[in-house]
Amino acid sequence: FPTFATARLLHFARSCNMQRQQSEALFEEAKRYFPGGVNSPVRAFRSVGGTPLFFEKGDGCHVWDADGQRYIDFCCSWGPLILGHNHPKVREAIVDAVGLGTSFGAPTRKENELARLILDNNPYIEMIRFVSSGTEAVMSAIRLARGVTGRPLVIKFEGCYHGHVDALLVKAGSGLSTFGISSSAGIPEAVANDTIVVPLNDKRALEVAISDYAHDIAAVIIEPIPANNGLLLQTKEYLEFLRDITRRHGILLIFDEVISGFRVGFSGAAGYYDIRPDIITYGKIIGGGMPVGAYGASRDIMRHIAPEGDVYQAGTLSGNPVAMAAGRAQLAECLQPDFYQDQAQRTEAFVGRLNRFAIAQQLPFKVFSIGSIFWFAFTATEEIRSSDEIDPKSMEHFRALHKVLLERGIYLGPSGYEVGFVSSAHTEAVLSEAAGLIEAALAAVFNRSAEGVA
Ligand SMILES: *Cc1c(COP(=O)(O)O)cnc(C)c1O
């Protein structure tokens, strides 16, 4: 099947006149400067093949590449752009802030303003600390958990991504719950050995890990809406189980909400499921497209952070005024009445249509979604809740689909394990146009006629 799809695709690609000269030239140059030609690995298109597109500009739900071609963008910078590109309120806030100076290394009013907006509208944290990336937020949250509990170990779940923090760039060994094996060179075994990796959606595995090491475990960290390895939606009941078992053993529960925060609702997955973790990490949307991360918790826990407490954490550009202004402008829009309902409704209509198409055409394809996050899975399965349920071979289909969609003017993140995002700039009309193009692309990939489908 895949080989056949690929052959069809080559035929299709030849019949298109997509321009790549500028992107190709820029990529050739970039390869002289950066490892793999990029400043973050997934951008290199290794898993879909071909040259990464270099972008010139974005506006609303569209982006333009260096060759002047326009795409409907479902990557949205991997999540931060919940209002789409170049939103006037965010742009104006950034421009105004720049006029006052870009960095002081001293407190500014803008940090208070963003913090107030968040804390007044998110009952799951009482204090916050701003950093400059999601990775930094997670790294600091882990240190905080260790500082508060005085314990060394951390439990993470296979299939959750938490940035490139040493202790969390680990994968499971063989067995139900095991000490991590580093998934990157440069991470000492001693560091990987401080992390226990368990499968998602498996109560027994977590119970075993906790009963073996309870008094040494500082934290259990999870993406409550795992969205970095497909979209592995957990049940509320499972997340409540995590809350209960960690509380019983004095272990802190960390929700890594770098994607889900301000995405499935203003108070993220904590609010969506109404579960109160001990520490929450944020990133992506919180910065309005500028580099911001944050972690928050109760007053009692946050008091452990320097200079109040003895857990050291600092940043030259933390709370950067331009970034704070961008974040505040974006989050203020998210607080408009019905913002999240509207996001979810438009996404559901889009996803529902694609799923009905796949069923009607009997394609092994299903879109999983929550709020305005969606994931294209090449499967006939009803539910996928852990990473071992994803068939690696299905990525062949994604690769083929990605190519066809680029030809037709739709940009998805270049990996089948990545989710897509709908922004407020993706109107019903745009989503309906996109759905039509995706249906035709699916038909091409699976070599079926879309005729007879409304
Ligand atoms: C993106 C992401 C991170 C890392 O954030 P960066 O800003 O890329 O460092 C951490 N956790 C989750 C859940 C993420 O999606």
Side-chain angles (χ1 to χ4, degrees):
F1 218 25
T3 330
F4 192 59
T6 310
R8 283 273 310 168
L9 198 66
L10 288 174
H11 170 75
F12 180 78
R14 272 196 296 272
S15 69
C16 289
N17 47 7
M18 188 187 174
Q19 301 296 311
R20 280 288 175 86
Q21 290 88 326
Q22 291 296 323
S23 282
E24 275 164 10
L26 287 164
F27 190 47
E28 282 310 306
E29 186 188 353
K31 281 193 274 192
R32 297 208 300 271
Y33 308 143
F34 314 119
V38 291
N39 286 298
S40 195
V42 72
R43 297 180 195 172
F45 268 49
R46 292 275 170 104
S47 65
V48 291
T51 310
L53 297 186
F54 278 61
F55 288 116
E56 287 290 330
K57 67 167 183 176
D59 196 58
C61 66
H62 291 110
V63 285
W64 283 260
D65 70 13
D67 290 282
Q69 293 153 139
R70 191 181 84 163
Y71 305 83
I72 299 172
D73 179 20
F74 285 110
C75 178
C76 294
S77 189
W78 303 105
L81 305 181
I82 196 168
L83 306 180
H85 297 266
N86 195 26
H87 188 278
K89 294 243 170 83
V90 177
R91 184 183 63 236
E92 280 159 26
I94 291 172
V95 169
D96 288 350
V98 166
L100 297 172
T102 55
S103 184
F104 301 99
T108 68
R109 183 189 302 273
K110 289 191 166 58
E111 290 151 85
N112 288 6
E113 289 170 348
L114 179 56
R116 190 189 315 129
L117 190 74
I118 294 169
L119 297 173
D120 281 355
N121 293 286
N122 178 347
Y124 295 87
I125 53 172
E126 293 175 345
M127 292 183 104
I128 195 163
R129 169 64 65 86
F130 291 120
V131 294
S132 301
S133 73
T135 294
E136 214 187 329
V138 170
M139 183 184 80
S140 309
I142 297 282
R143 185 180 306 141
L144 174 58
R146 286 172 164 159
V148 169
T149 59
R151 300 169 174 183
L153 304 182
V154 172
I155 295 183
K156 85 168 284 266
F157 296 88
E158 185 78 3
C160 286
Y161 175 71
H162 303 290
H164 63 97
V165 180
D166 275 358
L168 300 176
L169 273 188
V170 296
K171 55 184 188 239
S174 54
L176 196 56
S177 68
T178 56
F179 284 100
I181 300 170
S182 67
S183 55
S184 161
I187 296 174
E189 210 178 304
V191 172
N193 277 341
D194 280 338
T195 305
I196 298 170
V197 186
V198 298
L200 283 163
N201 191 39
D202 183 337
K203 291 183 184 174
R204 178 86 192 115
L206 189 65
E207 281 165 352
V208 167
I210 289 181
S211 77
D212 286 354
Y213 300 101
H215 299 297
D216 287 323
I217 299 168
V220 169
I221 183 165
I222 188 168
E223 283 181 82
I225 296 175
N228 276 289
N229 198 292
L231 182 62
L232 304 173
L233 295 174
Q234 303 300 294
T235 62
K236 178 174 158 92
E237 192 255 331
Y238 178 72
L239 295 171
E240 282 170 341
F241 158 79
L242 293 187
R243 178 62 287 185
D244 293 342
I245 194 168
T246 49
R247 188 174 280 140
R248 261 187 283 127
H249 290 89
I251 297 167
L252 300 186
L253 178 62
I254 304 175
F255 272 9
D256 180 356
E257 298 230 43
V258 171
I259 283 187
S260 55
F262 312 101
R263 170 60 67 179
V264 296
F266 195 86
S267 37
Y272 188 93
Y273 295 110
D274 192 22
I275 293 173
R276 181 177 296 275
D278 298 295
I279 305 174
I280 309 183
T281 58
Y282 298 105
K284 301 198 167 103
I285 290 174
I286 200 173
M290 300 291 283
V292 182
Y295 58 102
S298 66
R299 231 166 262 288
D300 279 349
I301 288 180
M302 291 304 278
R303 280 207 181 105
H304 289 259
I305 299 288
E308 226 175 313
D310 55 3
V311 176
Y312 189 71
Q313 186 272 309
T316 301
L317 291 172
S318 291
N320 175 270
V322 181
M324 295 291 104
R328 179 182 176 225
Q330 173 150 284
L331 296 190
E333 289 303 298
C334 295
L335 282 168
Q336 293 296 314
D338 297 334
F339 179 87
Y340 288 103
Q341 237 171 301
D342 188 51
Q343 283 282 96
Q345 271 168 14
R346 274 179 292 109
T347 309
E348 271 161 32
F350 169 69
V351 167
R353 173 170 161 182
L354 292 176
N355 280 334
R356 285 192 298 278
F357 174 82
I359 290 166
Q361 298 291 303
Q362 297 182 299
L363 304 179
F365 176 80
K366 182 167 167 57
V367 190
F368 292 91
S369 73
I370 182 169
S372 51
I373 307 172
F374 65 84
W375 177 50
F376 289 171
F378 291 84
T379 178
T381 317
E382 272 311 299
E383 288 174 352
I384 297 189
R385 300 202 192 279
S386 68
S387 54
D388 62 358
E389 292 169 64
I390 303 174
D391 178 5
K393 286 203 289 290
S394 69
M395 292 300 153
E396 277 285 331
H397 294 307
F398 179 81
R399 195 181 156 95
L401 181 70
H402 191 269
K403 272 213 172 69
V404 179
L405 287 178
L406 281 188
E407 300 286 352
R408 297 183 181 203
I410 292 190
Y411 187 78
L412 294 176
S415 161
Y417 290 97
E418 302 286 351
V419 295
F421 298 98
V422 169
S423 78
S424 61
H426 290 79
T427 59
E428 264 175 53
V430 165
L431 289 171
S432 155
E433 178 196 346
L437 292 166
I438 294 166
E439 287 169 0
L442 284 168
V445 166
F446 289 108
N447 191 29
R448 305 221 181 158
S449 164
E451 276 169 29
V453 177

